[in-house]
Amino acid sequence: MLKPLGDRIIIELVESEEKTASGIVLPDSAKEKPQEGKVVAVGTGRVTDNGERIALDVKEGDSIIFSKYAGTEVKYGGVEYLILRESDVLAIIG
Amino acid sequence: MLKPLGDRIIIELVESEEKTASGIVLPDSAKEKPQEGKVVAVGTGRVTDNGERIALDVKEGDSIIFSKYAGTEVKYGGVEYLILRESDVLAIIG
Amino acid sequence: MLKPLGDRIIIELVESEEKTASGIVLPDSAKEKPQEGKVVAVGTGRVTDNGERIALDVKEGDSIIFSKYAGTEVKYGGVEYLILRESDVLAIIG
Amino acid sequence: MLKPLGDRIIIELVESEEKTASGIVLPDSAKEKPQEGKVVAVGTGRVTDNGERIALDVKEGDSIIFSKYAGTEVKYGGVEYLILRESDVLAIIG
Amino acid sequence: MLKPLGDRIIIELVESEEKTASGIVLPDSAKEKPQEGKVVAVGTGRVTDNGERIALDVKEGDSIIFSKYAGTEVKYGGVEYLILRESDVLAIIG
Amino acid sequence: MLKPLGDRIIIELVESEEKTASGIVLPDSAKEKPQEGKVVAVGTGRVTDNGERIALDVKEGDSIIFSKYAGTEVKYGGVEYLILRESDVLAIIG
Amino acid sequence: MLKPLGDRIIIELVESEEKTASGIVLPDSAKEKPQEGKVVAVGTGRVTDNGERIALDVKEGDSIIFSKYAGTEVKYGGVEYLILRESDVLAIIG
């Protein structure tokens, strides 16, 4: 399994259709497009200058919308993942 | 429903007419133009380096003016939303 | 009424004549030109990383000089306002 | 009178001659040229993230050298002033 | 032996095949490609402004994925190493 | 006399010969060249966000090497000075 | 002798051969190349905003690898030195 570091999370991509299963319709414009994913692993959080570790707001299993072009693609065990920073997550679908 | 993260908010756009319902008239100049929206969800606030969470000043239901070109458009349940950071909010119409 | 957020203020513009009512004469040079305004609303101040809210030095009713090109124009109830950050205020005319 | 905000100061310009009254000779080179001024008003100081206000080192009446091209020109009561940040002050002539 | 400073780590490169021993398949796209390595030495951590030293999350022996183009190549004792900052580590393979 | 502000120092230039009195030979390369000077005045130090004043490490009378192109030239009483920030000082010759 | 300021160190260059005495072989690629040096003097450390001085991890006598193109060259007493910041040191050879 992959364990992300710090404030990073790993998501599985939800295929970007005209209208997704959860009802998000991605606009077809020149703007930065959001995308949908499912969180499969979260880091233990960043450590501040005070030595405190700030836990993430995103949990394993969350469905999220994130900024397109964010993160790094990885394939592991035949599945394609994306490693993001939590700050690239726009909203949780809940 | 969409739950924004950190210091992000989700707004419904108020159609930008010559003169809006609440009386804001948007100037027709080359300057950065403000726009009007209604807040439908707010994040739980950013976490500082001290581990403190700073609650937002903007509440659900507020009518706000925000900087044009700010944020990311999302459609959910057939409604168009905009996800902004609170720092993109210029003023509350109250 | 418009309520500015954080360290923002809202001012009414004082018409920029050769010599204004309060005696400020704006120079006619290529430099960044100051302008005069009257404060009609102030935010509750920015919140620091310690969770402290820093109140503004500028008060409602103050006449101020601010950096030209700063801020965002808004019309509300037929009056033209400018939304600035307090850091764009150069001096109070007192 | 003009009251500068935060870490700003207001100075009267001392005419830049070949050799000034206090003995400063401004070099005639391509480098950033210092200039001489007399402080007529100082702000109450910037407020840090701890909520502390840091008083200025420069006092009313000080003769100072400052970085050319710094600040904003203002005329008030027929006198030309310059509004600077204290960080633009290079040295006090004492 | 090489001892990295602060938040730096030293890794041995794991040859980038179509599919690596641990099952990571590196995508063949124009995006920033991750790479796999084995950690052979870690620094004692960065020192914050409070004088606290923040220990690293990565340990000697960890298999990691890191951002391509990160770090500096060094050969020592005939082996090729890469010196990275911990922030260049995307995930631990565990 | 000139009194520098904050973390600034004032130095007299030591003529840059092929080999200076103290034995520094300045390299003739395309790199940023160091230069030698004698400290004639130091500021009281910068004030941190905690309100603490950090005294300078450089003292009046020190011979120093500093980064070329740093600082601002001033002539005072017929002598040419250079006003630098302490961070532009590379080393003390002792 | 030269005494570096703050977080600076002074090193003597170790001639960059195909394979150095300590066994470092510098790669012949287009990447940023590390180089080897011997530390002859270290500063007393940077002072943080809390007024704390953070001592260096590098000691006099250490052999180090540093980023090429970092630092400023100085000749003193006929020997060529390089003045670096500690952050330019990649690893200690120990």
Side-chain angles (χ1 to χ4, degrees):
Chain A
M1 191 48 207
L2 297 179
K3 292 182 290 187
L5 251 75
D7 60 350
R8 286 193 180 87
I9 67 172
I10 301 182
I11 64 174
E12 264 185 76
L13 293 170
V14 172
E15 280 312 310
S16 180
E17 314 162 25
E18 201 68 4
K19 180 165 177 171
T20 68
S22 56
I24 301 289
V25 179
L26 301 174
D28 195 283
S29 71
K31 281 198 150 190
E32 183 194 3
K33 293 175 191 169
Q35 286 186 320
E36 191 175 340
K38 182 158 188 170
V39 180
V40 296
V42 301
T44 49
R46 69 182 170 96
V47 176
T48 71
D49 275 5
N50 296 344
E52 281 193 73
R53 192 176 289 273
I54 308 291
L56 300 193
D57 288 332
V58 172
K59 294 181 307 296
E60 204 183 309
D62 282 349
S63 292
I64 62 159
I65 303 172
F66 61 92
S67 305
K68 203 177 180 179
Y69 307 125
T72 306
E73 288 175 8
V74 179
K75 262 194 184 166
Y76 182 80
V79 185
E80 185 169 293
Y81 297 104
L82 193 66
I83 304 182
L84 297 172
R85 290 184 177 275
E86 197 192 34
S87 55
D88 293 319
V89 178
L90 298 171
I92 298 171
I93 304 167
Chain B
M1 191 49 207
L2 298 178
K3 291 181 291 187
L5 252 74
D7 60 349
R8 286 192 180 86
I9 68 171
I10 302 182
I11 64 173
E12 264 185 76
L13 293 171
V14 172
E15 279 314 309
S16 180
E17 315 162 24
E18 201 69 4
K19 181 165 178 172
T20 68
S22 56
I24 301 289
V25 179
L26 301 174
D28 195 283
S29 72
K31 282 198 149 190
E32 183 193 2
K33 292 176 192 169
Q35 286 186 320
E36 191 176 340
K38 182 157 186 169
V39 180
V40 297
V42 302
T44 49
R46 68 181 170 97
V47 176
T48 71
D49 276 5
N50 296 345
E52 282 193 72
R53 191 176 289 273
I54 308 291
L56 301 193
D57 288 332
V58 172
K59 295 181 307 296
E60 204 184 310
D62 282 350
S63 291
I64 62 159
I65 302 172
F66 60 93
S67 305
K68 203 177 180 179
Y69 307 125
T72 305
E73 287 176 8
V74 179
K75 261 194 186 166
Y76 182 81
V79 185
E80 184 168 293
Y81 298 105
L82 193 66
I83 304 182
L84 298 171
R85 290 185 176 275
E86 195 192 35
S87 56
D88 294 320
V89 178
L90 298 171
I92 298 172
I93 304 168
Chain C
M1 192 48 207
L2 297 178
K3 292 182 289 186
L5 252 74
D7 59 349
R8 287 193 180 86
I9 67 171
I10 302 182
I11 63 173
E12 264 184 76
L13 294 171
V14 172
E15 279 313 310
S16 181
E17 314 163 25
E18 200 69 5
K19 181 165 177 171
T20 67
S22 56
I24 301 288
V25 179
L26 301 173
D28 195 283
S29 72
K31 283 196 148 190
E32 183 193 2
K33 291 175 191 170
Q35 287 186 318
E36 191 175 341
K38 181 156 188 171
V39 180
V40 296
V42 302
T44 49
R46 67 180 172 99
V47 176
T48 71
D49 275 5
N50 295 345
E52 283 194 72
R53 192 176 288 273
I54 309 290
L56 301 193
D57 288 333
V58 171
K59 295 182 306 297
E60 204 184 310
D62 281 351
S63 291
I64 62 159
I65 303 173
F66 61 93
S67 304
K68 203 177 179 178
Y69 309 124
T72 305
E73 288 176 8
V74 179
K75 261 195 186 165
Y76 183 80
V79 185
E80 185 170 292
Y81 297 104
L82 194 66
I83 303 181
L84 298 171
R85 291 185 176 276
E86 195 191 35
S87 55
D88 294 320
V89 178
L90 298 170
I92 299 172
I93 304 168
Chain D
M1 191 49 207
L2 297 178
K3 292 182 289 186
L5 251 74
D7 60 349
R8 287 193 180 86
I9 67 171
I10 301 181
I11 63 173
E12 264 183 75
L13 295 170
V14 172
E15 280 311 310
S16 180
E17 314 163 24
E18 200 70 6
K19 181 166 177 172
T20 67
S22 56
I24 301 289
V25 179
L26 301 174
D28 195 283
S29 72
K31 282 198 148 189
E32 184 194 1
K33 292 175 191 171
Q35 287 186 318
E36 191 175 340
K38 182 157 188 171
V39 179
V40 296
V42 302
T44 48
R46 67 181 171 98
V47 176
T48 71
D49 276 4
N50 295 345
E52 282 195 71
R53 193 176 287 274
I54 308 291
L56 302 192
D57 288 333
V58 171
K59 295 181 307 296
E60 204 184 309
D62 281 350
S63 292
I64 62 159
I65 303 173
F66 62 92
S67 304
K68 202 177 179 177
Y69 308 125
T72 305
E73 288 176 9
V74 179
K75 261 194 185 165
Y76 183 80
V79 185
E80 185 169 293
Y81 297 104
L82 194 66
I83 303 182
L84 298 171
R85 290 185 177 276
E86 195 191 35
S87 56
D88 294 319
V89 178
L90 298 171
I92 298 172
I93 304 167
Chain E
M1 192 48 207
L2 297 178
K3 293 182 288 187
L5 251 75
D7 61 348
R8 287 194 180 85
I9 67 171
I10 301 181
I11 64 173
E12 265 184 75
L13 293 170
V14 172
E15 279 313 310
S16 180
E17 312 162 27
E18 201 69 5
K19 181 167 178 170
T20 67
S22 56
I24 302 288
V25 179
L26 302 174
D28 195 283
S29 72
K31 281 199 150 189
E32 184 194 3
K33 292 176 191 169
Q35 286 186 320
E36 191 176 340
K38 182 158 188 169
V39 179
V40 296
V42 302
T44 49
R46 69 181 170 97
V47 176
T48 71
D49 276 5
N50 295 345
E52 282 193 74
R53 192 175 289 272
I54 309 291
L56 301 193
D57 288 332
V58 172
K59 294 182 307 297
E60 204 183 309
D62 282 349
S63 291
I64 62 158
I65 303 173
F66 60 92
S67 304
K68 203 177 180 178
Y69 307 124
T72 306
E73 288 176 7
V74 178
K75 262 194 185 166
Y76 183 81
V79 185
E80 184 169 292
Y81 298 104
L82 193 65
I83 304 182
L84 297 171
R85 291 184 177 276
E86 197 192 34
S87 56
D88 293 320
V89 178
L90 298 171
I92 298 171
I93 304 167
Chain F
M1 192 50 207
L2 296 178
K3 291 182 289 187
L5 250 75
D7 61 347
R8 287 193 179 86
I9 67 170
I10 301 181
I11 63 173
E12 264 183 74
L13 294 170
V14 172
E15 279 313 309
S16 178
E17 313 163 25
E18 200 70 5
K19 180 167 178 171
T20 68
S22 56
I24 301 289
V25 180
L26 302 173
D28 195 282
S29 73
K31 283 197 149 189
E32 183 193 2
K33 292 175 191 171
Q35 287 185 317
E36 192 176 339
K38 183 158 187 171
V39 180
V40 296
V42 302
T44 49
R46 67 181 170 98
V47 176
T48 71
D49 275 5
N50 295 345
E52 282 194 72
R53 192 176 288 274
I54 309 291
L56 301 193
D57 287 333
V58 172
K59 294 182 308 296
E60 203 183 311
D62 280 351
S63 292
I64 62 160
I65 303 173
F66 61 92
S67 304
K68 202 178 180 177
Y69 308 124
T72 306
E73 288 176 8
V74 178
K75 261 194 185 167
Y76 183 80
V79 185
E80 184 168 293
Y81 296 104
L82 194 66
I83 304 182
L84 298 171
R85 289 185 178 277
E86 196 191 35
S87 56
D88 295 319
V89 178
L90 298 171
I92 298 172
I93 304 167
Chain G
M1 192 49 207
L2 297 178
K3 292 182 289 187
L5 251 75
D7 61 348
R8 287 193 180 86
I9 67 171
I10 301 181
I11 64 173
E12 264 183 75
L13 295 171
V14 172
E15 279 313 310
S16 179
E17 313 163 26
E18 200 69 6
K19 181 168 178 170
T20 67
S22 57
I24 301 289
V25 179
L26 301 173
D28 194 282
S29 72
K31 281 198 150 190
E32 183 194 2
K33 292 175 192 170
Q35 286 186 319
E36 191 176 340
K38 182 157 187 170
V39 179
V40 296
V42 302
T44 50
R46 68 180 169 98
V47 176
T48 71
D49 275 4
N50 296 345
E52 281 194 72
R53 192 176 289 273
I54 309 291
L56 302 192
D57 288 332
V58 172
K59 294 182 307 297
E60 203 183 311
D62 281 351
S63 291
I64 62 159
I65 304 173
F66 61 92
S67 304
K68 202 178 179 179
Y69 309 124
T72 306
E73 288 175 9
V74 178
K75 261 193 185 166
Y76 183 80
V79 185
E80 184 169 293
Y81 297 104
L82 194 66
I83 304 182
L84 297 171
R85 290 184 177 276
E86 195 192 35
S87 56
D88 294 319
V89 178
L90 298 171
I92 298 171
I93 305 167

